[in-house]
Amino acid sequence: MSSTSSNVVFDDIFTIYAIDKEGRKFDRVSRLYARSRNYDMDMTLDYDVELFPVSNDQTVAMALASSLSRDSAQAGAGEGADVEDKDRDVWRPDGKGRRGLEEDYDYVMYGRVYRFDGGNAETVTVYASFGGLLLSLTGSFRHMANIVLNDPIFILLRK
């Protein structure tokens, strides 16, 4: 589903089948368990329940992106510092700057891919941490080929 001309490295629609099935450990954080509609992927995600309230059997669109910039032009790829300067402030707390991918989603977190586990020849699990809120995404390695270990990543969710 993701385009090669975009900073989106993975996207799919997930249906939540459980929330906090092992019990709730924190007041504002829950863990959701979901299954993807298109790629047969399993996702486990910690999220802030006050900022992004969801329930069982609800569907959410999820994307992983290397940047919030809408275009994938990289600084130094023939366009020089102009691209770098334009993309530096894609998101700013004062609302100024260029509009990025975050405008299309309800909940966005920034983190880092910290681990890959190869289950068997076909299946892998990617782990990312978003300031201590964790993501695990399990499925075919073909759908996660653009996710790179130790790279920063954004998760974007929309109801």
Side-chain angles (χ1 to χ4, degrees), residues 19-21 23-32 45-52 54 107 109 130-134:
I19 297 176
D20 292 327
K21 67 181 181 182
R24 194 164 178 178
K25 295 180 176 41
F26 301 101
D27 290 337
R28 292 182 52 183
V29 177
S30 283
R31 179 167 285 176
L32 67 80
L45 176 68
D46 298 339
Y47 67 100
D48 186 313
V49 295
E50 292 179 7
L51 297 176
F52 192 67
V54 292
Y107 187 68
M109 294 189 291
F130 303 94
L133 299 179
L134 303 177

Side-chain angles (χ1 to χ4, degrees), residues 13-83:
I13 297 170
F14 286 81
T15 301
I16 299 169
Y17 64 84
I19 297 176
D20 292 327
K21 67 181 181 182
E22 297 163 358
R24 194 164 178 178
K25 295 180 176 41
F26 301 101
D27 290 337
R28 292 182 52 183
V29 177
S30 283
R31 179 167 285 176
L32 67 80
Y33 302 85
R35 182 91 176 143
S36 77
R37 184 179 292 174
N38 299 314
Y39 297 138
D40 293 326
M41 308 284 278
D42 288 309
M43 175 175 68
T44 303
L45 176 68
D46 298 339
Y47 67 100
D48 186 313
V49 295
E50 292 179 7
L51 297 176
F52 192 67
V54 292
S55 59
N56 281 338
D57 300 321
Q58 188 171 358
T59 59
V60 293
M62 187 275 279
L64 295 174
S66 59
S67 167
L68 292 177
S69 174
R70 289 193 181 272
D71 56 8
S72 63
Q74 299 294 321
E79 297 184 32
D82 292 337
V83 173

Side-chain angles (χ1 to χ4, degrees), residues 7 9 45-48 51 62-69 87-88 90-92 101-102 105-114 127-135 148-157:
N7 289 316
V9 295
L45 176 68
D46 298 339
Y47 67 100
D48 186 313
L51 297 176
M62 187 275 279
L64 295 174
S66 59
S67 167
L68 292 177
S69 174
D87 289 341
R88 179 177 299 139
V90 169
W91 181 86
R92 290 179 41 182
L101 294 173
E102 77 280 358
Y105 292 86
D106 301 322
Y107 187 68
V108 179
M109 294 189 291
Y110 173 77
R112 186 167 298 274
V113 177
Y114 69 90
Y127 296 94
S129 177
F130 303 94
L133 299 179
L134 303 177
L135 163 73
V148 179
L149 184 64
N150 291 325
D151 269 8
I153 198 155
F154 291 89
I155 186 168
L156 303 103
L157 299 166

